[in-house]
Amino acid sequence: MNIIGSIDTSGRAKRSIGIGLGRSIAASMLVLAGLFCFGSSWAGTLKGTAVYRERILLPPGAVFEVELQDISRAGAPAAVIGRYTLDPAGHPPFRFEIVYDDAAVQPSGRYSVRAAIRHDGRLLFTTDRIYSVLDGSGKPLKLLLVSAGAKAVRGPGGEKPAVVFGEGS
């Protein structure tokens, strides 16, 4: 605590707590905020884009989700160590940035990214291959999603086929 000395009008010395205390509190708060924000582990980020080839619009309310998965253990379910959701999905390309805990990534591990687009719980598009990441290659991450069962139907006037999800299946 900083004490500032001063003399009052009677000529006696008095002590008062001055501005120095405020500065000490502010400095302490900054240190605590730094510890809170940058705890024991640093967050990593994984950026990329995802597209599908079909020239169709997604239904309103479709959700795009991409996961960073640890696939190191053969025969075991993949552990999700990061996720990014875009709700509503909008239109491709879907740009994403997955934030993950660096402490969850081991140098000897195998990691991949999976993506899916769902509408009302129904799978519309998904990745159909392993997209290896965090392997030191530094390649840009570009995912291709494939249809999970759309049907082509003619419009009411017989015009060009439109792709419709969720009908008849």
Side-chain angles (χ1 to χ4, degrees), residues 42-60:
W42 290 86
T45 57
L46 185 63
K47 296 179 183 180
T49 57
V51 297
Y52 54 81
R53 288 188 180 151
E54 291 80 355
R55 294 181 45 126
I56 59 170
L57 295 176
L58 293 173

Side-chain angles (χ1 to χ4, degrees), residues 37-46 68 81 97-105 134:
C37 292
F38 306 109
S40 61
S41 63
W42 290 86
T45 57
L46 185 63
L68 172 58
I81 59 175
E97 183 172 333
I98 304 170
V99 178
Y100 62 92
D101 183 359
D102 276 341
V105 176
L134 306 179

Side-chain angles (χ1 to χ4, degrees), residues 105-147:
V105 176
Q106 304 303 316
S108 61
R110 286 189 60 213
Y111 303 94
S112 71
V113 172
R114 279 191 66 82
I117 300 173
R118 297 182 193 287
H119 181 257
D120 291 337
R122 183 160 184 249
L123 183 64
L124 304 180
F125 289 92
T126 187
T127 50
D128 65 346
R129 66 185 272 300
I130 293 176
Y131 288 90
S132 294
V133 294
L134 306 179
D135 55 3
S137 68
K139 296 182 292 187
L141 184 55
K142 295 181 180 181
L143 308 178
L144 176 63
L145 291 97
V146 296
S147 177

Side-chain angles (χ1 to χ4, degrees), residues 5 12 18 30 34 41 44 46 54 64-66 69 77 79 85 87 107 115 118 131 136 152 155 163 168:
R12 288 180 287 172
L30 283 174
S41 63
L46 185 63
E54 291 80 355
F64 169 78
E65 185 174 67
V66 61
Q69 300 178 336
T85 301
D87 184 358
R118 297 182 193 287
Y131 288 90
V163 176

